[in-house]
Amino acid sequence: MPFVSAIATAFASSAALTWLVRRIARDLGFLVHPRPDRAHTTPTAQYGGVAIFLALIIGHIAFTPLTAPVLGLLGLTTMLFLLGVADDTWDLRPQSKVVVQIAAGFLLYFGDFHFNAGFPWLLDLAIVVFWVVAITNAMNLLDNMNGLCAGTAIIAAAFRCLFFYQDGNLTGAMQTAIFLGAVLGFLVFNFPRASIFMGDTGSMVVGFFLAALNLTSGESYSKGLISVLFFPVLVLALPIFDTTFVAVLRLLSGRAVSEGGRDHTSHRLVAVGLSEPAAVVTFYGISLASGGTAFALYRFGVSSTWSLVVLLVLG
């Protein structure tokens, strides 16, 4: 019941705040206008990420003990939120955003968030920083179609919450439940027809918080090393694949990776005949399959689930 209450509170807060932010954005003219590298055809309110962030803060104040790790994570999330607001307002250079993300990764590591505490500290630090930058930008790039980023984040968070609960990490499970509710409250305004976009204000928060949740936070795992290492990668397989795919193709064609465009895998599904909602739902299915495979891998080990991993990679 506490988890249900946390999800419901975060959802209600996020939905109410999203409605309010949408109204303010429309009144003040904070709109995203149609352009060639975007799929929408009408001016749409922006700054939806403000609602996600505030609901996340409200949920943590109401349902989690505000320990040093929790406050540290919320503080760094606030830093990424402000970075997103600045980017939506002034269109920051990609290099500036990466510098802040790297700093957030360093601070997260020294706040006792590790990829694997058994690794040499320098290797663990490098992986944590790379992971934070990669996942934050992966979710940012995945925000290219109505409901895609938010829905994928919700599915990943649901599996992460289940994982935390099964492992006895109730604080982690509660934090993930709050995150799930906060993003879900925004999604009802963003899919299938978007009346507001989260913008970098939201995708930075969503990506960074998901990256942090998939670190160990000093917890020692009882499962095999391989399943532990593969779990976060598989849970977030879709944004990782999409980002890698787009980055490689843009580099091969001599374009900047940070450049906008309609060359993501979601756009390619639309190009071969799917409607945008159908493409997004297809991606939801892929996320569910990768999350389910990840959970099976962690629960039952590589020897029992390797065939599922092979099928997922082939798919």
Side-chain angles (χ1 to χ4, degrees):
M1 287 306 298
F3 294 105
V4 174
S5 299
I7 293 172
T9 300
F11 171 82
S13 301
S14 178
L17 287 165
T18 301
W19 178 88
L20 179 61
V21 170
R22 182 183 64 177
R23 180 169 180 175
I24 293 172
R26 287 174 173 174
D27 289 344
L28 297 180
F30 295 146
L31 305 174
V32 180
H33 295 278
R35 63 190 197 197
D37 63 337
R38 294 279 185 159
H40 70 286
T41 56
T42 58
T44 306
Q46 60 176 338
Y47 295 111
V50 172
I52 297 174
F53 171 73
L54 292 177
L56 199 59
I57 298 298
I58 292 170
H60 276 77
I61 292 173
F63 290 97
T64 61
L66 298 179
T67 59
V70 171
L71 289 174
L73 177 56
L74 292 180
L76 291 174
T77 303
T78 302
M79 184 170 76
L80 270 294
F81 166 73
L82 295 175
L83 176 67
V85 171
D87 191 33
D88 282 335
T89 305
W90 297 295
D91 197 17
L92 302 177
R93 295 172 58 194
Q95 298 90 328
S96 302
K97 292 185 285 186
V98 170
V99 167
V100 176
Q101 292 163 5
I102 289 174
F106 270 95
L107 293 172
L108 195 65
Y109 176 82
F110 290 109
D112 205 25
F113 285 77
H114 303 279
F115 195 80
N116 191 285
F119 287 175
W121 77 268
L122 193 58
L123 175 61
D124 192 30
L125 171 61
I127 294 174
V128 167
V129 173
F130 175 79
W131 176 259
V132 167
V133 174
I135 298 304
T136 302
N137 285 293
M139 296 308 293
N140 179 245
L141 289 173
L142 197 65
D143 186 27
N144 59 68
M145 196 167 284
N146 294 345
L148 183 54
C149 177
T152 302
I154 288 168
I155 293 170
F159 280 106
R160 172 50 65 176
C161 185
L162 180 61
F163 164 76
F164 275 139
Y165 186 77
Q166 290 284 322
D167 221 37
N169 186 345
L170 299 184
T171 299
M174 181 60 75
Q175 287 185 277
T176 313
I178 293 166
F179 172 81
L180 192 157
V183 180
L184 186 61
F186 166 80
L187 182 63
V188 298
F189 293 88
N190 188 244
F191 183 78
R193 186 179 177 88
S195 60
I196 186 170
F197 294 148
M198 69 166 64
D200 284 3
T201 303
S203 63
M204 291 285 181
V205 169
V206 168
F208 176 77
F209 206 85
L210 263 182
L213 287 175
N214 281 277
L215 297 172
T216 65
S217 187
E219 300 284 335
S220 59
Y221 288 116
S222 59
K223 306 294 182 181
L225 178 63
I226 297 298
S227 61
V228 168
L229 294 179
F230 268 103
F231 183 87
V233 174
L234 283 174
V235 167
L236 295 168
L238 180 57
I240 291 172
F241 168 77
D242 184 65
T243 301
T244 305
F245 179 75
V246 170
V248 170
L249 289 185
R250 289 181 182 177
L251 288 172
L252 289 176
S253 62
R255 298 167 55 204
V257 175
S258 58
E259 179 183 335
R262 300 186 66 178
D263 55 351
H264 292 267
T265 42
S266 53
H267 297 134
R268 293 170 188 272
L269 289 179
V270 173
V272 297
L274 273 69
S275 66
E276 287 191 13
V280 172
V281 170
T282 299
F283 271 43
Y284 288 172
I286 295 171
S287 293
L288 285 169
S290 60
T293 302
F295 188 75
L297 178 68
Y298 182 77
R299 287 282 292 168
F300 305 112
V302 178
S303 60
S304 301
T305 58
W306 67 267
S307 57
L308 291 177
V309 178
V310 171
L311 288 173
L312 179 67
V313 171
L314 288 175

